[in-house]
Amino acid sequence: GNSVTQMEGPVTLSEEAFLTINCTYTATGYPSLFWYVQYPGEGLQLLLKATKADDKGSNKGFEATYRKETTSFHLEKGSVQVSDSAVYFCALTPFSGGYNKLIFGAGTRLAVHP
Amino acid sequence: GAVVSQHPSWVICKSGTSVKIECRSLDFQATTMFWYRQFPKQSLMLMATSNEGSKATYEQGVEKDKFLINHASLTLSTLTVTSAHPEDSSFYICSAPLGEGLKISFGTDTQYFGPGTRLTVL
């Protein structure tokens, strides 16, 4: 079946620290991969995505590379800010295009302190 | 830009009553919308896919008679929690894929999420 596993939180960092949130997936076919972010009191927002192997998604200083060989899509940021404090969800759709069902990981809460 | 709205943002009801939650796509039309449920500090679980002009598709384990979905138009889907009980208390979130044309459903990978509706059943 299709599933997403991401590292448990909370992740607590100081401002300007390096961030990695691990995400691995299991999928049949060729999934698209996503990172969504949920800021306190707000709805989910798409942070970045990648639709095929070796694609790198990037946005707001965050990056993630679609690694088919390791079935991973780890989220990274070189220097986090307090405003990055949120819950981050890794997700996939079972295949690119067509039916768009999203399967989410459990979410990782990030807390960044000044 | 494209926005998805939900109404109400929060609702408190008595056990045994029914509650309707609306999900609207603003600025775009959506032949497909999705309904998710999120428990505190947990991930989103897909409940059902709402299809304009046809019946909703429910995920395994979701009671279709309890969670009634009606995709009334290209911009509106509703979720009705019937005979609500305390265990139905949760955060309900809808989403819609961007880019669906009038009565044409083509696949896109980007979904826009509503802000969610917090349901508390007493």
Side-chain angles (χ1 to χ4, degrees):
Chain A
N2 301 301
S3 65
V4 176
T5 303
Q6 58 183 108
M7 62 187 290
E8 288 188 25
V11 173
T12 304
L13 295 173
S14 298
E15 208 165 21
E16 299 184 2
F18 184 86
L19 168 71
T20 300
I21 300 178
N22 290 337
C23 171
T24 57
Y25 68 90
T26 302
T28 53
Y30 303 94
S32 290
L33 302 175
F34 306 83
W35 278 100
Y36 280 84
V37 58
Q38 186 176 34
Y39 297 104
E42 298 184 17
L44 269 76
Q45 302 173 28
L46 178 63
L47 182 59
L48 54 84
K49 69 176 186 180
T51 57
K52 61 182 187 296
D54 300 324
D55 270 2
K56 177 185 284 188
S58 62
N59 185 26
K60 300 181 181 179
F62 291 89
E63 291 184 341
T65 301
Y66 190 145
R67 301 286 188 200
K68 197 170 190 300
E69 63 276 13
T70 55
T71 61
S72 65
F73 193 55
H74 304 322
L75 182 68
E76 296 182 336
K77 186 174 185 182
S79 176
V80 294
Q81 306 299 314
V82 173
S83 57
D84 294 326
S85 298
V87 181
Y88 293 82
F89 292 94
C90 186
L92 67 81
T93 54
F95 49 88
S96 299
Y99 191 56
N100 298 311
K101 179 165 92 170
L102 271 168
I103 297 167
F104 285 90
T108 302
R109 184 175 299 276
L110 170 65
V112 181
H113 298 290
Chain B
V3 173
V4 174
S5 69
Q6 282 185 241
H7 178 79
S9 55
W10 59 270
V11 57
I12 301 172
C13 70
K14 292 182 178 180
S15 186
T17 61
S18 295
V19 175
K20 179 184 285 188
I21 301 169
E22 293 185 349
C23 176
R24 292 182 185 274
S25 60
L26 309 178
D27 301 329
F28 69 101
Q29 295 173 326
T31 58
T32 302
M33 291 183 177
F34 299 92
W35 285 97
Y36 296 84
R37 184 173 179 176
Q38 184 181 27
F39 290 102
K41 298 186 179 181
Q42 294 188 30
S43 188
L44 284 76
M45 299 298 295
L46 179 66
M47 298 176 65
T49 303
S50 175
N51 303 300
E52 191 269 338
S54 64
K55 291 182 179 180
T57 305
Y58 291 83
E59 295 300 300
Q60 192 172 13
V62 177
E63 298 177 61
K64 61 181 180 181
D65 294 331
K66 180 165 188 63
F67 298 100
L68 300 179
I69 291 173
N70 181 27
H71 202 132
S73 72
L74 288 169
T75 59
L76 174 64
S77 175
T78 60
L79 169 67
T80 301
V81 183
T82 62
S83 187
H85 288 92
E87 58 266 29
D88 298 324
S89 298
S90 191
F91 197 54
Y92 293 87
I93 304 171
C94 70
S95 73
L98 178 66
E100 301 207 12
L102 180 64
K103 293 191 182 295
I104 298 173
S105 177
F106 62 91
T108 67
D109 288 297
T110 301
Q111 293 191 29
Y112 282 82
F113 283 79
T117 297
R118 184 163 301 284
L119 170 63
T120 300
V121 184
L122 303 177

